[in-house]
Amino acid sequence: MAKVEVLTTASVVSLFSPKSLYLVGYGWLLGMSIWVTFFGGVIAYKALPRHQFGALQHKTFPIYFVISILLSAGLTGVWTLSHPNVQKYIQDPFVADVAQAYTLASVCLAQSLNYFVVGPMTSKTMFQRQRLEKSEGKNYNEPGVSEEMKALNRRFGSLHGISSLANLWAVIGLIFHGLWIGNTGI
């Protein structure tokens, strides 16, 4: 029969260990990434008029990217410090601990690309397109839009695609890392 453990102040304080904080940070990052990628945006897209949806994304995505960058950078640092093989074999991505560090670093890099480069360019293009819609009196997807609108549509589509791929890469990397720590521990 299992021993019954009684909670004490000391046992609750001991919960705040590096491993448990790592797991909470990882869970936060994975859950947030899955929600934003597959649920939150889809729900907002279906529930809001297009311009309101764009304004919402413009406000929420930078916060999502910053939190993702901070958490993934923190996880990368903790992983590297707590796994000596990472520093010893840093140039060999086939060493499992190094592969995990690279995976976490790639999440940070993908979300940094989104925050610092692709996201601002996408927002700028979206707002240019909205201004042009007003001046032309047509939605971006109506027949007979100007060549300038067609160019903005192509640019927006490309940027949105790049952003989505970088974000999807982050989600896949986080799932890979989760499978790893689920099988081998932190």
Side-chain angles (χ1 to χ4, degrees):
M1 186 169 211
K3 179 184 172 199
V4 176
E5 188 172 341
V6 177
L7 289 177
T8 64
T9 303
S11 68
V12 171
V13 169
S14 73
L15 294 175
F16 294 89
S17 69
K19 284 186 177 185
S20 63
L21 293 175
Y22 184 93
L23 191 58
V24 168
Y26 169 76
W28 178 3
L29 181 55
L30 177 64
M32 177 181 66
S33 298
I34 288 174
W35 175 260
V36 167
T37 303
F38 299 111
F39 299 100
V42 174
I43 293 167
Y45 180 77
K46 290 179 179 182
L48 296 172
R50 184 171 49 87
H51 287 220
Q52 288 179 355
F53 170 72
L56 176 67
Q57 298 293 78
H58 174 70
K59 293 292 186 183
T60 58
F61 267 83
I63 296 166
Y64 162 62
F65 292 139
V66 166
I67 294 170
S68 295
I69 292 164
L70 294 173
L71 286 171
S72 60
L75 294 174
T76 303
V78 171
W79 184 268
T80 300
L81 292 173
S82 62
H83 293 82
N85 282 339
V86 174
Q87 294 174 31
K88 187 174 180 181
Y89 298 103
I90 191 69
Q91 294 181 357
D92 188 352
F94 294 105
V95 172
D97 287 345
V98 175
Q100 292 306 309
Y102 282 2
T103 299
L104 292 168
S106 76
V107 170
C108 186
L109 183 63
Q111 300 302 46
S112 293
L113 175 71
N114 266 327
Y115 179 73
F116 291 108
V117 181
V118 182
M121 291 170 66
T122 305
S123 290
K124 180 180 176 186
T125 304
M126 176 187 70
F127 291 129
Q128 287 174 330
R129 192 167 73 167
Q130 288 176 2
R131 281 191 299 277
L132 192 56
E133 282 178 324
K134 276 187 180 179
S135 71
E136 290 184 1
K138 293 182 179 180
N139 285 332
Y140 75 96
N141 57 354
E142 287 182 31
V145 295
S146 68
E147 289 303 313
E148 184 181 0
M149 180 65 80
K150 289 177 184 176
L152 286 173
N153 287 340
R154 284 190 298 275
R155 180 174 170 83
F156 181 82
S158 295
L159 291 167
H160 186 267
I162 292 166
S163 177
S164 296
L165 285 174
N167 193 59
L168 185 59
W169 172 261
V171 172
I172 291 168
L174 290 169
I175 291 170
F176 172 64
H177 184 63
L179 293 170
W180 185 263
I181 62 176
N183 282 289
T184 64
I186 296 173

